[in-house]
Amino acid sequence: MAQAGNKQKRLLWVVSVPMALLALSCVYPVFFAINNALKTNKGYILDRFGIVTEPTLMNFVDVWNRSGLSAYFFNSVVVTLGAVLVLLVISSLAGFAFAVLRFPLRKLIFVVILASLMIPVQVVLVPFYQTIIGLNLLNTRIGLIISYTAFFLPFSVYLMTSFYAGLPRELVEAARIDGAKLIQIWWHVMVPMGKPALITLGILNTLYCWNDVLISLLVLQDKRTLMVGIAALRGEYTTNVPLLSAGIVLAAAPIVILYIVFQRQIVSGIAVGAVKG
């Protein structure tokens, strides 16, 4: 028994050391950004990797006011909230239809939706951009909301369909016997039962929309979102790294807080499609 215990301890150390190094490699960039954000530009040039000795918050003030980050932040909030709400409603309705209802070509349509997950965004950028121009949605927030909905909808539909398919069909049958219509069954039965998946989906889509640069750069060319504005802080020849670091910290803070609060829902929700069938 003692030998078995020693083997388990050694195995635990063998696993723990590389995991600790991996965790350190993930934490260090965060520390590096916060540390440099508290430096002056002169202090960064003199000692790029040293710990800040005279911290200052002026970089945060400058990047928020002078660089227009407040307007970019507002654009990101509006677009992200709008896209996430639309995605939740449409994906929940579609997931209910695919999982519960029986209609012609149901399986074929679902396979097409799944197949679209394998198409890289870069492949459809040219027709996507032409469509945005043709619909007069260029440089509009509603255009970016529709774009996010189109690109992130296949995964959302797949997740909700997988979750709803695992719910007991007796609930739907009982609601039908009571005379409930389809929209009533969806709202009073499926939505409350699907709250765990909906919360997870909302968090994941918030991460996708908030961190996006490529789609936002194409659609909102005049009205930038936060991540595009952060990218614009990099100069062509020189870059004020403390100012850029302050912008990165401000942009990442809401997402980090969101992840810390809902990390259990995120982890459990990612596995929904694997365990629900």
Side-chain angles (χ1 to χ4, degrees):
M1 294 293 292
Q3 292 180 352
N6 293 331
K7 288 182 178 180
Q8 289 182 352
K9 290 181 179 180
R10 287 196 294 268
L11 180 62
L12 182 62
W13 274 104
V14 170
V15 176
S16 299
V17 171
M19 294 300 294
L21 294 175
L22 180 61
L24 183 62
S25 67
C26 295
V27 172
Y28 178 74
V30 178
F31 167 77
F32 182 80
I34 296 175
N35 185 56
N36 286 329
L38 297 174
K39 294 180 180 179
T40 62
N41 194 34
K42 179 181 179 181
Y44 170 78
I45 295 174
L46 293 177
D47 189 2
R48 297 188 176 187
F49 298 99
I51 298 177
V52 58
T53 55
E54 297 180 0
T56 177
L57 297 178
M58 287 306 301
N59 292 319
F60 295 96
V61 176
D62 291 342
V63 78
W64 184 261
N65 295 325
R66 298 181 185 178
S67 301
L69 214 65
S70 57
Y72 304 155
F73 188 90
F74 176 78
N75 290 334
S76 289
V77 170
V78 171
V79 170
T80 300
L81 288 179
V84 169
L85 289 176
V86 174
L87 281 166
L88 288 177
V89 174
I90 296 178
S91 62
S92 181
L93 285 169
F96 168 62
F98 285 121
V100 177
L101 305 182
R102 297 296 180 264
F103 52 89
L105 303 179
R106 176 179 63 91
K107 292 184 178 180
L108 178 61
I109 297 174
F110 187 67
V111 169
V112 171
I113 292 175
L114 291 182
S116 63
L117 288 171
M118 297 181 287
I119 301 176
V121 176
Q122 293 80 359
V123 174
V124 297
L125 283 183
V126 173
F128 161 72
Y129 186 67
Q130 292 175 343
T131 302
I132 290 294
I133 295 176
L135 295 176
N136 294 322
L137 294 176
L138 193 65
N139 291 322
T140 62
R141 297 188 186 97
I142 188 66
L144 187 54
I145 291 174
I146 294 175
S147 301
Y148 284 154
T149 302
F151 280 109
F152 302 145
L153 189 60
F155 171 77
S156 303
V157 172
Y158 164 71
L159 184 66
M160 294 309 303
T161 302
S162 300
F163 186 86
Y164 284 150
L167 297 179
R169 292 186 58 85
E170 289 78 7
L171 296 173
V172 178
E173 297 299 332
R176 283 179 172 175
I177 293 174
D178 291 338
K181 298 180 180 179
L182 288 178
I183 192 66
Q184 292 174 327
I185 296 175
W186 169 74
W187 179 250
H188 294 289
V189 178
M190 305 305 289
V191 171
M193 294 292 293
K195 278 185 179 179
L198 290 172
I199 292 174
T200 300
L201 186 61
I203 296 170
L204 293 177
N205 283 329
T206 299
L207 296 175
Y208 297 153
C209 296
W210 187 269
N211 293 325
D212 172 70
V213 175
L214 181 59
I215 302 174
S216 175
L217 187 62
L218 285 176
V219 179
L220 283 185
Q221 298 179 356
D222 295 335
K223 303 175 184 178
R224 293 172 174 172
T225 56
L226 186 60
M227 289 304 173
V228 177
I230 296 297
L233 292 176
R234 296 183 59 183
E236 182 177 1
Y237 301 106
T238 59
T239 300
N240 189 331
V241 175
L243 193 69
L244 177 62
S245 299
I248 293 174
V249 172
L250 289 176
I255 298 301
V256 172
I257 295 173
L258 185 69
Y259 180 81
I260 292 175
V261 174
F262 295 103
Q263 58 180 326
R264 290 186 178 180
Q265 288 86 343
I266 295 175
V267 174
S268 61
I270 292 175
V272 164
V275 300
K276 298 287 184 180

